[in-house]
Every structure is written in C-alpha cells, then in structure tokens.
Amino acid sequence: MKESTKESFEKTRIAGSIAAGALDEVSNIIKPGITTDEIDKICYEYINDHGAYSAPLFYRGFPKSCCTSPNHVVCHGIPSDKILKEGDILNVDVTAYKDGWHGDTSRMFEVGKISVKAKKLIDTTYESMMKGIKILKEGIQLGDIGHAIQKHVEAQGFSVVQDFCGHGIGQSFHEEPTILHYGKMRTGKKIKAGMIFTIEPMINLGDYQTKVLNDGWTAVTKDKSLSAQFEHTVGITKDGYEIFTHSQKFS
C-alpha cells in the first residue's frame, strides 16, 4: 500500500469508528417517546467527546449534527421535536470529521414492534448494501455495484431510489466517484486500490420516485411508502476491501 494510501486509510478508519460508535449510542436510547432532537444531541456529544466534529452541522446550511429520516423520509431528514412512536422505522446518518478525514455511515432503527413489511424492507436494504460491498475488488466496474444491489432489491419486490447516490469521501465530505445503486454490469469507471467511497442504498417499499420538501433538505417517497437506508464507508485494497464504519455491536 502506498504511503499516502496508508495514511488515508488509517485516518478514515479512526473517523469511521467514531461515526459507528455514535450509532451504537443511538441504539441504546431508541424507543417510543423519544424525539429526533434527542438523537441529534447524542450523536453530537459522542462525536465531540471523541475529538471529532459532526460534518453535517452547517454543511451547506444544514442545521443539525445528523440526519434522522423516519418512515417515508428517504434521506436528509432534519432532527426536531418530533416524537417517535411504536412501529416507526428510522434511519440515522452520521459523519465524523477527525484530523482532516471523514467517516460516513447510516443505520436503520426499529422503534418498538414494527410491521412484517417494514422488517423485510430493512433486512433487504442491509442485504443489498452488503451484496454491493462483498464484490468489491480492484478491476470491477462501478456499474457492477449498482447491478448487485438492484438485482437483489427488485427480486424482493422493492425499488431502488435513483435520485441519491453514494460518493467518494476523504478530506472532502463528497468527492468523485458517484456510486449509483442501480445499473448494468461491466459499465462505469474501474475500481482501483486506494479508492474510498460510500455505498448507501435507499430502498422503497413502493415506487422509487422521491421529492424534496420545502425545507430544501428532507427527501420523501412520492407515494408515501416506507423507505430504508444503510451506509458504510469502504476502501479498496490490493486484495479486496475494508469497511471503515464497521460496528462491534451491529453486524
């Protein structure tokens, strides 16, 4: 591994570990009756206590330290005094910025007992992310990732959001390449060792179409169907890949 790649991997590993730890903290408090503002506070304090900064805070004017996206919110939901209730599902998306490098991850949480359909959606979304990750190695093409995700999702009767994507990440929050979660095999840029990017499929129970609300951030499903998302930051190695945002509590 090149020296520059070694440094970037080491620093992303630290930032990713902090981001994953923040989500582990969230898992300890998720229950009916809490607010998404309380989740935001937990994330902010955990990341700050570990010597890092919450990258979403004030990013392009975003007002909070994490994104909280319940039920039919696809992504970029803004924490508020909204109270979570029994049966809700929730995505929490955090990014820690530490020593000049970013670690970006998101996870789904169940609020109390959820429906069978919601559980299947969450499970399929996680499985699809991991299918996209497990094929990673030098020489495959970006379209191979999207194809692996889309094939699994559509076989389960769900749809892949096309308006949002994964992205390169490092010293900048968002970089090239763009990682689509749908596509054809053997298309797109070839993957090389040293690349760092996110894989973060957003999967809908109904149609794939989305719209952004008037706040300029919150994206929702047009048909108001449930949506789920998982995200990892990954790096390409000479012999495969590394997940930088792996959690010891959640696999």
Side-chain angles (χ1 to χ4, degrees), residues 43-109:
C43 291
Y44 172 81
E45 290 179 349
Y46 183 90
I47 291 170
N48 189 62
D49 287 349
H50 286 78
Y53 179 79
S54 295
L57 186 60
F58 307 131
Y59 178 75
R60 296 181 180 174
F62 191 79
K64 298 288 184 171
S65 294
C66 67
C67 299
T68 52
S69 302
N71 300 324
H72 73 292
V73 179
V74 175
C75 60
H76 303 155
I78 302 172
S80 68
D81 58 2
K82 175 182 173 62
I83 297 172
L84 297 174
K85 63 183 188 299
E86 183 87 14
D88 283 344
I89 63 172
L90 177 75
N91 178 269
V92 181
D93 190 339
V94 297
T95 306
Y97 180 67
K98 169 82 170 172
D99 293 335
W101 293 82
H102 293 80
D104 189 1
T105 186
S106 82
R107 196 182 304 171
M108 293 301 298
F109 295 93

Side-chain angles (χ1 to χ4, degrees), residues 9-223:
F9 273 43
E10 285 176 351
K11 291 192 172 181
T12 304
R13 193 177 296 126
I14 293 168
S17 176
I18 295 170
L23 293 183
D24 289 344
E25 289 295 302
V26 172
S27 71
N28 293 330
I29 66 161
I30 284 285
K31 62 181 179 180
I34 70 165
T35 67
T36 51
D37 259 340
E38 290 176 75
I39 292 170
D40 182 71
K41 185 182 179 191
I42 286 282
C43 291
Y44 172 81
E45 290 179 349
Y46 183 90
I47 291 170
N48 189 62
D49 287 349
H50 286 78
Y53 179 79
S54 295
L57 186 60
F58 307 131
Y59 178 75
R60 296 181 180 174
F62 191 79
K64 298 288 184 171
S65 294
C66 67
C67 299
T68 52
S69 302
N71 300 324
H72 73 292
V73 179
V74 175
C75 60
H76 303 155
I78 302 172
S80 68
D81 58 2
K82 175 182 173 62
I83 297 172
L84 297 174
K85 63 183 188 299
E86 183 87 14
D88 283 344
I89 63 172
L90 177 75
N91 178 269
V92 181
D93 190 339
V94 297
T95 306
Y97 180 67
K98 169 82 170 172
D99 293 335
W101 293 82
H102 293 80
D104 189 1
T105 186
S106 82
R107 196 182 304 171
M108 293 301 298
F109 295 93
E110 303 173 14
V111 184
K113 185 175 175 57
I114 66 172
S115 70
V116 172
K117 279 187 176 180
K119 178 64 174 170
K120 183 182 177 186
L121 175 67
I122 289 173
D123 290 346
T124 300
T125 304
Y126 179 76
E127 290 160 6
S128 75
M129 175 186 68
M130 293 310 299
K131 282 184 179 293
I133 290 173
K134 285 178 179 177
I135 64 168
L136 294 175
K137 61 180 180 180
E138 266 204 309
I140 73 161
Q141 291 171 259
L142 292 177
D144 298 342
I145 301 170
H147 175 80
I149 291 168
Q150 184 177 20
K151 182 180 178 182
H152 181 69
V153 167
E154 292 181 352
Q156 300 301 315
F158 303 130
S159 64
V160 180
V161 170
Q162 298 185 11
D163 294 332
F164 301 94
C165 56
H167 53 90
I169 190 167
Q171 291 176 294
S172 297
F173 198 165
H174 296 91
E175 302 177 352
E176 292 296 324
T178 294
I179 310 295
L180 301 180
H181 303 113
Y182 61 96
K184 296 181 179 179
M185 290 184 68
R186 293 180 290 277
T187 62
K189 185 176 181 179
K190 281 194 174 182
I191 291 174
K192 297 179 181 178
M195 292 175 74
I196 300 174
F197 51 81
T198 69
I199 295 181
E200 49 181 300
M202 288 145 269
I203 308 304
N204 295 347
L205 189 64
D207 189 76
Y208 70 88
Q209 292 183 315
T210 69
K211 65 178 180 180
V212 177
L213 301 184
N214 291 335
D215 62 22
W217 285 103
T218 307
V220 300
T221 55
K222 275 192 176 180
D223 61 7

